[in-house]
Amino acid sequence: DGGITQSPKYLFRKEGQNVTLSCEQNLNHDAMYWYRQDPGQGLRLIYYSQIVNDFQKGDIAEGYSVSREKKESFPLTVTSAQKNPTAFYLCASSIGRGSPLHFGNGTRLTVT
Amino acid sequence: QQPVQSPQAVILREGEDAVINCSSSKALYSVHWYRQKHGEAPVFLMILLKGGEQKGHEKISASFNEKKQQSSLYLTASQLSYSGTYFCGTERGGGADGLTFGKGTHLIIQP
């Protein structure tokens, strides 16, 4: 079955450590996205990539980094510079602009 | 810039109708609608690509007023399964800049 996989489901880290969230899709989609979800804030766009080896900052990119070396993979690194990293992170993919997003099941990150 | 959704929350009895609105200050290329159940990923409902376009999905439909940069989601004869948080997402015209979501509308359907 085609789909989008995020791992792990739950992640715990100490403050000051970088952490990388995995996102893999086998839908052959060109576009991939990272969103952060906090209560009452909706889904806020962190980074997106329309094609391999290219990505753009979203609305809240500070303290995050991404890479898009392969079409099927779009890992997100939460750096120690991110002041409030505890959140629910969702990865999504689509064929491209104007197409529906398919979401992964998310990773809940807790930093203490 | 996030689109603005209203209302923030709605409580209905089963069988009643609801309207959720979404507006943007920028010219839009598309409007998406998604529903999210607690603890789950958002699920795609529909996408509107042209001004004046209306789409339907069972008893859920949506419209897009391009001149006003507004979209509305209509839920008729609501069912218990319609409960959840509804998000509109917008793509701006003039270039590819990702899909930006509103803060969501919480819909509670009571028996």
Side-chain angles (χ1 to χ4, degrees), chain B residues 18-51:
Chain B
V19 179
I20 300 172
N21 300 302
C22 175
S23 65
S24 173
S25 58
K26 305 290 184 181
L28 297 177
Y29 173 78
S30 71
V31 179
H32 300 221
W33 286 97
Y34 294 79
R35 177 172 62 210
Q36 185 180 31
K37 302 277 188 179
H38 184 69
E40 300 178 4
V43 173
F44 171 75
L45 293 176
M46 63 192 76
I47 182 171
L48 301 104
L49 291 172
K50 294 184 290 186

Side-chain angles (χ1 to χ4, degrees), chain B residues 88-101:
Chain B
C88 73
T90 57
E91 291 175 296
R92 294 189 298 185
D97 59 354
L99 185 65
T100 301
F101 286 93

Side-chain angles (χ1 to χ4, degrees), chain A residues 35-37 41-45 90 103, chain B residues 2 42 87 101-102:
Chain A
Y35 291 92
R36 169 181 173 141
Q37 188 169 28
Q41 295 296 320
L43 294 94
R44 291 184 290 171
L45 183 62
L90 283 161
F103 283 88
Chain B
Q2 285 183 290
F87 293 100
F101 286 93

Side-chain angles (χ1 to χ4, degrees), chain B residues 55-100:
Chain B
K55 286 207 168 172
H57 177 74
E58 296 180 344
K59 294 180 181 177
I60 302 174
S61 61
S63 63
F64 178 23
N65 185 323
E66 190 174 14
K67 284 187 178 179
K68 293 185 177 181
Q69 304 307 320
Q70 293 176 346
S71 178
S72 294
L73 185 71
Y74 307 93
L75 300 101
T76 58
S78 58
Q79 305 168 12
L80 293 175
S81 62
Y82 288 0
S83 292
T85 302
Y86 289 78
F87 293 100
C88 73
T90 57
E91 291 175 296
R92 294 189 298 185
D97 59 354
L99 185 65
T100 301

